[in-house]
Amino acid sequence: QRRLLLAAARVTMSDKPATGVKPIFCGNFRYDEPRHHVEDLFRERGEMLRLDMKRGFAFVYMAKQEDAERCIAELHNHDLGGRKLLVSFAKGDGDTKRREDQRKANQQPTKTLFVANFELMRNDQFQTERELESRFLEYGKLTRCQLRAGRSGSYFAFVEYEEQADSTKALEELNGAPFGGAVLAVEYTTNSGGGGGGGGGPPPSRGGYGGDGGPPPPPL
């Protein structure tokens, strides 16, 4: 519990959003707790704008102050899967969010997109990859769509277009779009190596459309 309380104090995903409601820290659930279990707890108590899920903890953004206060009052020490939740307003001055906003503002458009914040459909990696490919094909011809497993059991993907204008269109339309019960996070890759014809994207990786290598995902 001490580690999770320190995370609430030191790891700040955002300061107050446009609604003026401070994000909620929710911790001490299992690392493999399904995302929808956490989402349902908060949605039952008000309008939830966003949930940033991590290993064993999450940051939750509610639309109204009274709903946020209700969540904290009712969910702190609530039993989820045999564990008592730690729920409180997140602490911090918003420096992490400002640095992240600045990083994204400085990104240059590339043909390759980094896609995260989704779960496997019916626990099938191949099917999920094909579903992602289908969504992104709506915005142009692809040269690569590859799904990978992260270190913490999460998944991410690289999607590469033939034309940079198509990747920009896809980013604008699909960042924040629903996918398989979650909300996609899409951004340009930040690698400057330019492999695979990506114009600043990462080198192609094994699988998908072929190739080797590839960098780890950028931070979200």
Side-chain angles (χ1 to χ4, degrees):
Q1 288 193 354
R2 175 178 172 80
R3 181 183 67 83
L4 290 168
L5 290 173
L6 288 172
R10 296 176 181 174
V11 183
T12 304
M13 298 303 294
S14 173
D15 52 350
K16 292 182 181 180
T19 60
V21 182
K22 201 170 186 181
I24 297 169
F25 171 82
C26 176
N28 203 42
F29 50 82
R30 300 191 316 269
Y31 287 170
D32 60 350
E33 191 70 51
R35 180 187 181 90
H36 67 89
H37 286 180
V38 180
E39 288 179 330
D40 289 347
L41 289 175
F42 287 89
R43 286 196 170 122
E44 290 169 0
R45 291 164 174 82
E47 181 185 356
M48 189 187 75
L49 300 177
R50 191 170 99 232
L51 182 142
D52 292 337
M53 190 92 164
K54 306 299 177 183
R55 282 192 83 201
F57 67 96
F59 290 92
V60 186
Y61 300 78
M62 303 298 290
K64 297 180 181 179
Q65 180 70 23
E66 56 265 33
D67 292 339
E69 293 173 356
R70 179 187 175 194
C71 288
I72 291 171
E74 296 184 5
L75 294 177
H76 183 63
N77 286 326
H78 178 85
D79 185 278
L80 180 63
R83 305 188 69 166
K84 299 292 185 182
L85 294 177
L86 299 175
V87 183
S88 65
F89 281 116
K91 301 175 178 63
D93 59 6
D95 284 345
T96 301
K97 177 61 162 55
R98 285 191 285 272
R99 287 195 297 270
E100 181 66 7
D101 287 344
Q102 184 61 44
R103 182 186 71 81
K104 289 185 177 181
N106 290 336
Q107 283 185 331
Q108 296 298 314
T110 65
K111 294 181 180 180
T112 308
L113 300 174
F114 174 78
V115 185
N117 201 43
F118 58 86
E119 296 180 350
L120 293 185
M121 292 183 168
R122 291 183 280 281
N123 204 34
D124 187 324
Q125 182 170 337
F126 178 79
Q127 180 178 349
T128 305
E129 186 175 79
R130 297 285 73 79
E131 290 289 339
L132 277 173
E133 182 181 45
S134 178
R135 288 291 298 275
F136 282 87
L137 273 171
E138 297 175 14
Y139 302 96
K141 188 172 181 180
L142 302 179
T143 58
R144 177 165 64 126
C145 178
Q146 184 190 6
L147 188 147
R148 290 187 181 182
R151 297 185 184 91
S152 63
S154 60
Y155 289 84
F156 60 92
F158 292 108
V159 178
E160 185 174 346
Y161 284 90
E162 282 194 355
E163 301 294 335
Q164 189 271 305
D166 293 336
S167 73
T168 296
K169 190 191 316 179
L171 185 150
E172 292 172 351
E173 294 294 329
L174 294 178
N175 184 39
F179 180 81
V183 176
L184 291 177
V186 184
E187 61 180 88
Y188 297 116
T189 54
T190 57
N191 183 282
S192 59
S205 48
R206 196 173 280 112
Y209 290 96
D212 292 336
L220 290 180

